[in-house]
Amino acid sequence: MRRFLCILCCCLLLAVLPPTAWAAGLTASVSAEPVTLNGVKVDNRQAKYPLLVYRDITYFPMTYHLCRFLGVSSGWDGTTLSIDRTGETAEYTAETSAARQKGSVAVSRVTYSVVINGTEFDSKSAKWPLLNYRDVTYFPLTWALAVEELGWDYQWDAKNGLRIDSTAESGGPPMGDGEIMNSATRGFAPSVWGLDPGELTVELWNDWTVDGIKEAIRKGMADYVAAQGQEAYFLDGGPSAIRLSYNVQFPAQAQSGTELQVPFTAVFSGHPVTLPSGNTFTPTGETSELTATVRLCGQGELSVDSGYQAGQAMYQRLKACTETGEISVQANTTFDGLKLIQAAVGRKLDAAGLSDQYNIRAVSLGTYTSILGAGKTETVDFTIDFVSKSDSAPANDVRISGQAVFRAQS
């Protein structure tokens, strides 16, 4: 308690100085993408409190100076952190670190009370909880928190990185349709990504087809969301679509009582957003791959249509393209694992004659060490999204997970 009273009195350097949460074992990574706040470019790796990435979403440090620069007030009374939207911005004050930060850092879940615009945030049950790093509270940049609660506009693109604007006059010209569509999707998708009912078991009566399986799982996911409460995930109901993985194994014989283990992803639609053009855009988000137990009931015949069978065959061909083997890197030199994996898979697509049918839409990687000593290896998990380039492709979208091994050569 003495420690916190001393810190609180130190010229209010930070308003966000709550006690450290003790949940251990969590890690986040320092965001490597460019960051622009109200038109000011920030060197995130030199920042004392850098933006972090946790479970594929960017987390923002709610420091005293950054809050006020972005039109937000913050206060700590010893037990509760209060965050309120004011709309009044102060001058930018840089807080830098002597050493550049990169890679993974240890973080913890917030266990103290946090009140946002007068309402306590339920971080304990949130899919993207508030985090604590270096005694500073970090907010996930979801649409609900960043846009609806704090009033920020934000957008992202591969070239310019992340841009956050707290006033209509700052940060350059107003965002266009494409930029707002990007922000809306980027804000909504994380509320869906972690949606996981755990063990999902559904019954399929009579219609033992691929479409019947999809509908049974859709209803099961809709029931799960309804039981959680819409406010928990900012959703308006059940999923708009179910996508079955092409690696589903169907038995040669099936009867009532047979249980199928079916990998799937569920697609959800968010709240419509009005664009500057006057049109509306509905962002969508997709869960990570889940598995449902589908119990066949009643009378039916298990049948798989020819289109799905063609998709399964293509899945195996694309999966072979993701088997990269060892990838050589220069010892003691920083390497970009994402680009190396994408290039290796691209070469295999060309060799397999599939580059005229599929593009690599996205590659995501797990945490890895980007500098290796001679002879050292690093194994990294990755996921690749393939998207079809023509109507003749037997599968529209395919997501495949794999592993790559980097080996440093002297």
Side-chain angles (χ1 to χ4, degrees):
M1 181 61 70
R2 291 177 183 174
R3 176 191 176 209
F4 297 126
L5 290 176
C6 290
I7 294 174
L8 189 63
C9 292
C10 288
C11 303
L12 291 179
L13 177 62
L14 295 174
V16 188
L17 289 169
T20 302
W22 295 107
L26 300 182
T27 60
S29 58
V30 176
S31 177
E33 63 187 12
V35 178
T36 303
L37 306 177
N38 280 349
V40 176
K41 293 184 177 181
V42 176
D43 186 348
N44 192 57
R45 289 190 173 181
Q46 200 68 50
K48 183 177 181 181
Y49 306 101
L51 276 69
L52 303 176
V53 178
Y54 174 70
R55 292 184 63 187
D56 286 346
I57 188 169
T58 303
Y59 271 70
F60 190 87
M62 304 300 286
T63 67
Y64 175 86
H65 293 299
L66 287 179
C67 280
R68 279 149 184 77
F69 180 58
L70 292 173
V72 177
S73 68
S74 56
W76 171 251
D77 66 4
T79 59
T80 301
L81 171 65
S82 298
I83 299 291
D84 294 287
R85 174 180 174 181
T86 66
E88 299 178 0
T89 60
E91 291 186 4
Y92 176 71
T93 300
E95 295 176 277
T96 59
S97 172
R100 292 179 65 82
Q101 302 189 67
K102 61 181 180 180
S104 299
V105 297
V107 297
S108 55
R109 285 176 177 262
V110 162
T111 57
Y112 41 85
S113 177
V114 178
V115 176
I116 305 171
N117 292 331
T119 302
E120 184 168 4
F121 182 79
D122 186 5
S123 183
K124 184 177 181 181
S125 62
K127 291 296 180 180
W128 275 263
L130 305 181
L131 297 178
N132 188 291
Y133 174 60
R134 289 185 169 180
D135 287 336
V136 166
T137 305
Y138 275 68
F139 274 35
L141 287 180
T142 62
W143 183 265
L145 284 180
V147 179
E148 295 180 356
E149 293 289 351
L150 303 182
W152 297 346
D153 286 328
Y154 71 104
Q155 59 180 294
W156 178 91
D157 62 68
K159 179 180 179 180
N160 300 307
L162 177 67
R163 191 184 87 185
I164 299 178
D165 298 322
S166 65
T167 66
E169 294 76 23
S170 63
M175 292 192 292
D177 281 10
E179 295 170 321
I180 292 179
M181 289 165 63
N182 183 298
S183 290
T185 299
R186 190 173 168 86
F188 174 75
S191 66
V192 177
W193 184 85
L195 192 64
D196 187 354
E199 296 182 0
L200 178 66
T201 300
V202 299
E203 293 184 345
L204 176 58
W205 287 85
N206 304 323
D207 182 13
W208 299 355
T209 63
V210 170
D211 287 341
I213 292 172
K214 290 180 180 179
E215 179 59 19
I217 294 175
R218 191 197 67 78
K219 289 181 178 178
M221 288 295 291
D223 291 343
Y224 169 71
V225 171
Q228 302 306 304
Q230 294 179 2
E231 294 81 3
Y233 304 106
F234 316 109
L235 305 175
D236 288 328
S240 55
I242 296 293
R243 294 175 180 164
L244 301 189
S245 171
Y246 285 113
N247 62 353
V248 178
Q249 300 296 314
F250 293 102
Q253 300 292 329
Q255 59 185 2
S256 183
T258 297
E259 293 186 347
L260 309 178
Q261 298 301 310
V262 183
F264 73 95
T265 56
V267 181
F268 288 81
S269 298
H271 300 296
V273 176
T274 301
L275 303 174
S277 63
N279 296 324
T280 59
F281 168 72
T282 301
T284 60
E286 196 171 313
T287 65
S288 57
E289 187 171 281
L290 308 172
T291 299
T293 298
V294 180
R295 184 179 298 119
L296 304 182
C297 300
Q299 299 294 321
E301 181 178 350
L302 186 61
S303 61
V304 182
D305 60 77
S306 58
Y308 188 80
Q309 290 176 339
Q312 287 185 305
M314 179 56 72
Y315 176 92
Q316 295 302 324
R317 294 184 66 188
L318 291 172
K319 184 174 178 60
C321 294
T322 65
E323 296 169 357
T324 60
E326 285 193 348
I327 299 175
S328 295
V329 299
Q330 186 67 35
N332 303 313
T333 303
T334 302
F335 64 91
D336 189 330
L338 187 149
K339 289 184 178 179
L340 291 174
I341 291 174
Q342 183 166 340
V345 175
R347 289 191 293 270
K348 286 210 162 190
L349 277 179
D350 288 337
L354 296 177
S355 56
D356 61 337
Q357 296 186 66
Y358 288 91
N359 279 331
I360 299 174
R361 178 171 58 187
V363 181
S364 59
L365 268 65
T367 302
Y368 68 99
T369 302
S370 59
I371 301 178
L372 298 176
K376 298 294 185 180
T377 62
E378 178 82 0
T379 301
V380 60
D381 296 321
F382 65 84
T383 300
I384 295 185
D385 289 329
F386 295 96
V387 60
S388 62
K389 298 170 63 174
S390 66
D391 294 336
S392 62
N396 292 328
D397 299 295
V398 179
R399 174 175 293 176
I400 299 176
S401 298
Q403 282 191 331
V405 177
F406 301 111
R407 178 177 294 276
Q409 306 293 336
S410 58

